[in-house]
Amino acid sequence: MNRVEELLEIMIDQVVLPALLELDKESNQPIAVKVSAIFGNDSTSREICTRAGESTNTAGGEARIRFRESSPANCFSFAGEAIFNGLAPATGFSGFAIAGKLKVDERMASLSSRSNRYNVWTWSKGFVV
C-alpha cells in the first residue's frame, strides 16, 4: 500500500464513513460515494456505501480530500469537500467541507472543522480536477 492509499484508508475509517453514517441516519437514506485522496502528484479513490446491497433511493456523491505534510513526522493536514446528489432534496443539502489533521503512526484523523453546505453544487478552487 502506498502513502496516498494509506491516507485514504485512514480518512474513510476515521472521518468520511462516520460522517456518511450520521447523514444516512438523519435522512433515512443510503449514500454511495466515490472518495478521492490527493497527495502531491499521487491520487487514488474508492467507492463506499452506507448500506451494502441497497439501491432504492440511494443518494450518490463524491468526496475529494487533499493532504499535505505537516509536523511532526508522519502527520498530515487535510481539507476536503463532498457534494451529494439527491440527499434530502427538499432541504437543499448539497454536502460538507472538512479540515483537520491525520497521524499515520496512530492511524488517527481528527477534525478541526466541518461545515454543512446547502445549494453548493460546484467544487471550490482547490478541489476542481
Side-chain angles (χ1 to χ4, degrees):
M1 177 181 308
N2 68 27
R3 178 61 81 182
V4 72
E5 290 169 337
E6 183 177 27
L7 294 170
L8 179 60
E9 181 180 288
I10 295 168
M11 277 302 295
I12 287 173
D13 292 345
Q14 296 286 312
V15 176
V16 178
L17 188 55
L20 295 179
L21 290 170
E22 179 183 316
L23 291 169
D24 177 310
K25 184 177 179 182
E26 290 173 3
S27 66
N28 195 29
Q29 215 177 334
I31 306 166
V33 176
K34 175 185 175 186
V35 185
S36 299
I38 303 111
F39 174 59
N41 293 326
D42 294 330
S43 65
T44 190
S45 62
R46 195 167 121 201
E47 301 273 341
I48 62 172
C49 190
T50 57
R51 301 185 207 176
E54 208 169 311
S55 62
T56 306
N57 201 28
T58 299
E62 183 176 358
R64 298 176 183 172
I65 304 160
R66 291 194 167 276
F67 295 91
R68 63 181 171 81
E69 289 185 271
S70 64
S71 56
N74 289 319
C75 287
F76 297 82
S77 296
F78 65 83
E81 291 185 354
I83 298 176
F84 303 105
N85 296 311
L87 182 60
T91 67
F93 180 79
S94 58
F96 58 80
I98 56 173
K101 286 219 173 233
L102 184 147
K103 298 177 181 178
V104 173
D105 295 341
E106 298 174 29
R107 298 194 56 79
M108 187 181 88
S110 59
L111 286 176
S112 58
S113 68
R114 175 181 162 192
S115 58
N116 287 339
R117 294 184 170 181
Y118 293 84
N119 299 309
V120 178
W121 306 107
T122 57
W123 300 103
S124 297
K125 183 180 176 183
F127 296 94
V128 175
V129 203

